[in-house]
Amino acid sequence: RAEIHKFFMSYKDNKKSNVYKSREGYNLYASNYDQTLKLLDSFEKDFLLTILSKIKVGEALDLGCGTGRLIPTLKRSAAKISAADVSEEMLRIVKQKFPEVETSLANVNDLPFNEGYFDLVVASFLIVHVRDLEVAFDQVYRVLKDGGIFIVTNINQRKPPKLESKNGEKVVIESHYHRPVDVIKALENCLFKIEKEEFVNEKGVWINQIVVARK
């Protein structure tokens, strides 16, 4: 687990780095994002893949899709996939990899989708960049069909790591720490029913919370 340790230890030099909002930061970091895919997978172990393997739906939304890490897995769960992100550069890469996937430039606080459109919404490594969970969860609730499933992950990240852009610039993307109990409370306040909660642990400390909720 040395890579996870290195990831968290990269906080210490953040004061020397430029801090960006999500859109600007991920536009800068997008070209290097795929170098971290195996690391991101390790934060979920097999929990998320196992959950998704048991789901078969029509319309799915990969919310905060990044460069499309989850899209190959979602293809086995959903007949049609849409991908949304706040970063134009991330979406450009998604479209290169998966031209058949419909992409949307979107902020989770104001989703550009019709009410009751999706059967499944997955938001992995997204809420760490969300200040007000209930505003975001209300939007997810709105775009889900009745009985629709929301899968959300919550990384244990008290401070954002220092990333490196293609041109070598050190980039820190603004983030917000959420206690697991606050994630559950926000979901319930937005009328979601919690169906499953899993924790990925490292040396006795939780590093990721994975929640399955239903509208």
Side-chain angles (χ1 to χ4, degrees):
R1 316 298 290 186
E3 287 186 350
I4 291 179
H5 178 73
K6 183 179 179 181
F7 182 83
F8 281 110
M9 288 303 291
S10 65
Y11 303 150
K12 63 182 181 180
D13 294 326
N14 283 353
K15 291 182 179 179
K16 300 176 183 179
S17 307
N18 293 320
V19 179
Y20 293 92
K21 298 289 187 181
S22 294
R23 179 181 179 184
E24 293 81 3
Y26 279 115
N27 277 341
L28 288 169
Y29 183 56
S31 60
N32 282 351
Y33 189 83
D34 280 357
Q35 297 176 14
T36 67
L37 296 188
K38 289 184 178 180
L39 175 61
L40 296 178
D41 287 343
S42 72
F43 281 98
E44 295 166 349
K45 290 190 177 177
D46 294 325
F47 289 132
L48 185 56
L49 295 179
T50 299
I51 291 167
L52 287 172
S53 70
K54 299 176 181 178
I55 294 173
K56 300 297 179 184
V57 297
E59 299 270 357
L61 172 63
D62 186 358
L63 183 57
C65 62
T67 57
R69 179 178 67 93
L70 293 180
I71 288 176
T73 300
L74 283 171
K75 282 185 174 182
R76 298 192 288 269
S77 300
K80 183 180 178 182
I81 300 166
S82 298
D85 202 279
V86 73
S87 162
E88 296 94 337
E89 286 300 305
M90 290 290 201
L91 293 175
R92 182 183 61 79
I93 294 171
V94 169
K95 206 63 179 176
Q96 287 177 343
K97 291 181 177 179
F98 310 102
E100 74 283 4
V101 171
E102 183 176 338
T103 58
S104 298
L105 186 66
N107 187 307
V108 67
N109 293 331
D110 186 20
L111 295 177
F113 305 109
N114 291 334
E115 183 175 342
Y117 187 79
F118 295 103
D119 302 287
L120 169 67
V121 175
V122 180
S124 181
F125 297 103
L126 171 66
I127 65 171
V128 70
H129 301 301
V130 174
R131 183 185 298 275
D132 190 326
L133 293 179
E134 290 191 21
V135 171
F137 292 166
D138 272 339
Q139 281 291 299
V140 174
Y141 190 91
R142 179 183 65 80
V143 303
L144 272 172
K145 295 177 181 176
D146 289 342
I149 301 168
F150 180 32
I151 302 175
V152 58
T153 75
N154 175 35
I155 188 172
N156 185 356
Q157 179 176 290
R158 292 182 181 273
K159 293 182 180 179
K162 182 170 62 176
L163 308 172
E164 186 171 316
S165 70
K166 186 176 182 180
N167 63 12
E169 179 184 355
K170 303 302 180 184
V171 176
V172 171
I173 300 172
E174 185 180 90
S175 67
H176 307 280
Y177 173 75
H178 301 292
R179 299 184 306 161
V181 65
D182 293 332
V183 174
I184 297 297
K185 181 179 179 181
L187 286 166
E188 291 177 337
N189 285 347
C190 295
L191 304 181
F192 281 102
K193 297 178 181 178
I194 309 303
E195 293 197 339
K196 191 178 187 66
E197 181 184 27
E198 297 276 7
F199 286 93
V200 179
N201 297 294
E202 172 68 22
K203 296 181 179 179
V205 178
W206 74 276
I207 60 172
N208 200 12
Q209 173 194 24
I210 302 172
V211 181
V212 180
R214 192 177 293 270
K215 177 175 177 177

